[in-house]
Amino acid sequence: MPAEPVAPPAVTEDDPGGRTVRRLVTVVALIAVLPALYLPGLVHNFFDLKIYMSAMDWWTAGNPLYDYVQPDRVQGELYFTYPPFSALLLWPFGLLRLGATVTIFTVLTVLAVVLTTRWLVTPVIARHDLPRAFTLTVAVLLVLAVESTRETITFGQINMLLVVLILADLLVAVPQARRWAGVGVGLATALKLFPGIFIVYLLATRRWRAAAVASVTAAAATLLAAAVAPRDSWRFWTHELWATERVGRTDYTGNQSLFGLLSRFTAPEKPDRLLWLLVVAVVAGYGLWRAVRAARAGDPLTGLTLTGLVGALVSPITWTHHIYWFVPAVVLLADAALRADRPDEVRRRRWLAALAVATGALIIYGVVSFHDWGVAPVRTDDPVDFVLRNGYVLLSLLLLAALPVRSDQVEEKSHQMDRLPQ
């Protein structure tokens, strides 16, 4: 009697070999796509970092720091615009060869991306029992693919240093009431002013001690710079700080703030300041109100993300490399979508997942990487042009309203913080 044929074992979805192959293919595909995304930004050739280093050479030679100016094809003239404390930290790099400085800035930015992504994603991995190494690797590669990261690296910017300081403070030190809570935000504020919005957030959430520490730290760093460079410090705080034209054209598409949006309606004229202040008051009030609600619900990540988006919107100039805050927004949306697993939450889960994917796609494609918006001021004159040129502004406004607050964070807060890398 012939033996019955034996069917080969079925390959199931739980097959570990097949799962490993799929994960490797995903990682390799992401790595292969990255060079194509970075290719347009290579024309920047670390332009901003070169300005910083040239300004340091100019300053070292005994010239006034804020007299340094460099011609630019788009902006006309570019100056050194950071506070004097930033100059103190940048000055030692001016003693190195430019290639060494570029390498150091790039490596530190990549390390900062890895560290901050780990902080954001590790609690989500633990909460949903996701594969740790694979999820972290994919998350880091996706953050490296985002336009703000690409622009930070290819321009040679310092944005990720600020992000590290802010997240260390608001995700670890402040929730755990550490003694040094507020130092990170204070240092970041002294370096680039924009993070001062997080001191407002600390005050609004009644984190009085952290707000005081942040304020004192920012003041101490500023006074240190004033002691080293009194004339430059006086000039910056009394004049250069208020001269927005030194930073660049406000109507340029790369300026993704509310003032930039309004400027693109009125170019080449400046928009009405009173109208801008009114819009800023409404947006800041609503965004910070939601951020405070999130903080009081025990959800610090949503609170600081909303605050970061508010800061980007209300600042007169917010370049695309400044808007890191879309990254934690995507993490929050994905986390909320994974948590919406009850039958009555199916529609909400689909909406959150769709918004997470759409946000991720937009911030990877970007608003300036693959478009040449020209060098002359051009008014926004049609709906399609309006959406394309204000993509991040519109997305920020949407996220201010749509980001979910994880109300059950109060019960999980201490457990999550114990798992958060420190």
Side-chain angles (χ1 to χ4, degrees):
M1 183 175 180
E4 295 182 2
V6 178
V11 178
T12 67
E13 293 183 358
D14 294 328
D15 173 43
R19 186 166 57 243
T20 300
V21 170
R22 289 191 295 273
R23 291 174 182 172
L24 285 174
V25 169
T26 300
V27 170
V28 170
L30 288 173
I31 293 174
V33 168
L34 278 178
L37 292 172
Y38 274 82
L39 187 60
L42 294 181
V43 299
H44 301 325
N45 195 24
F46 305 100
F47 184 73
D48 289 358
L49 182 56
K50 289 179 179 178
I51 290 179
Y52 305 155
M53 295 303 101
S54 297
M56 293 305 101
D57 292 341
W58 167 270
W59 195 31
T60 301
N63 299 299
L65 176 61
Y66 296 102
D67 275 354
Y68 179 79
V69 61
Q70 182 169 314
D72 178 65
R73 181 181 74 94
V74 175
Q75 307 291 355
E77 292 182 334
L78 292 176
Y79 300 80
F80 184 84
T81 58
Y82 286 179
F85 182 63
S86 289
L88 290 187
L89 295 188
L90 289 170
W91 179 80
F93 291 100
L95 304 177
L96 305 175
R97 291 183 178 273
L98 181 61
T101 301
V102 166
T103 301
I104 292 170
F105 270 59
T106 302
V107 170
L108 289 178
T109 296
V110 173
L111 290 176
V113 166
V114 173
L115 179 63
T116 53
T117 304
R118 186 184 176 202
W119 286 346
L120 295 177
V121 174
T122 296
V124 180
I125 291 173
R127 192 156 41 244
H128 303 290
D129 196 25
L130 301 175
R132 180 181 177 83
F134 172 70
T135 304
L136 278 174
T137 301
V138 169
V140 168
L141 291 173
L142 288 174
V143 176
L144 287 172
V146 168
E147 184 179 58
S148 64
T149 308
R150 302 197 309 264
E151 296 276 285
T152 293
I153 290 175
T154 56
F155 271 114
Q157 275 284 345
I158 65 171
N159 301 302
M160 286 308 302
L161 168 62
L162 307 180
V163 171
V164 169
L165 292 171
I166 293 166
L167 292 189
D169 233 356
L170 299 183
L171 285 184
V172 180
V174 172
Q176 295 182 2
R178 299 285 183 87
R179 284 186 176 182
W180 51 274
V183 170
V185 168
L187 287 174
T189 301
L191 285 168
K192 212 171 179 180
L193 299 184
F194 169 91
I197 189 69
F198 294 99
I199 298 180
V200 177
Y201 168 68
L202 289 172
L203 291 170
T205 54
R206 299 181 182 179
R207 305 278 191 170
W208 308 119
R209 187 179 188 280
V213 170
S215 301
V216 169
T217 301
T222 300
L223 290 174
L224 172 63
V228 175
R231 290 184 180 179
D232 291 309
S233 293
W234 176 260
R235 178 172 169 179
F236 176 82
W237 293 107
T238 60
H239 182 266
E240 310 305 342
L241 172 61
W242 315 104
T244 56
E245 66 276 3
R246 289 174 57 91
V247 184
R249 273 181 26 221
T250 60
D251 66 282
Y252 179 60
T253 304
N255 179 20
Q256 290 292 304
S257 67
L258 290 169
F259 196 74
L261 181 148
L262 294 174
S263 296
R264 287 184 278 278
F265 275 123
T266 62
E269 304 299 327
K270 297 289 186 183
D272 182 85
R273 293 293 179 125
L274 185 59
L275 173 62
W276 171 62
L277 290 173
L278 178 61
V279 174
V280 161
V282 172
V283 170
Y286 175 73
L288 289 174
W289 170 72
R290 288 212 70 218
V292 170
R293 288 190 64 192
R296 289 178 179 173
D299 189 356
L301 182 55
T302 299
L304 72 88
T305 301
L306 289 167
T307 304
L309 292 172
V310 167
L313 286 167
V314 304
S315 175
I317 291 190
T318 300
W319 302 128
T320 51
H321 51 264
H322 293 165
I323 316 179
Y324 167 83
W325 309 104
F326 292 136
V327 172
V330 172
V331 173
L332 289 165
L333 290 168
D335 185 27
L338 289 171
R339 292 161 71 89
D341 54 2
R342 296 197 305 267
D344 60 326
E345 293 183 321
V346 171
R347 183 176 298 179
R348 178 173 179 268
R349 178 175 185 171
R350 289 175 179 170
W351 152 249
L352 292 169
L355 184 55
V357 171
T359 300
L362 175 57
I363 63 177
I364 288 174
Y365 182 77
V367 295
V368 296
S369 293
F370 301 98
H371 293 275
D372 184 357
W373 297 106
V375 298
V378 178
R379 293 190 180 188
T380 303
D381 55 7
D382 66 75
V384 174
D385 195 37
F386 172 77
V387 173
L388 289 177
R389 296 188 69 192
N390 298 290
Y392 288 171
V393 183
L394 300 176
L395 178 60
S396 297
L397 292 171
L398 174 62
L399 291 174
L400 282 188
L403 271 186
V405 173
R406 298 171 295 181
S407 57
D408 55 346
Q409 286 290 98
V410 175
E411 290 79 9
E412 297 185 7
K413 180 180 174 184
S414 59
H415 184 44
Q416 288 177 16
M417 288 298 108
D418 289 341
R419 292 190 298 231
L420 191 64
Q422 299 174 22

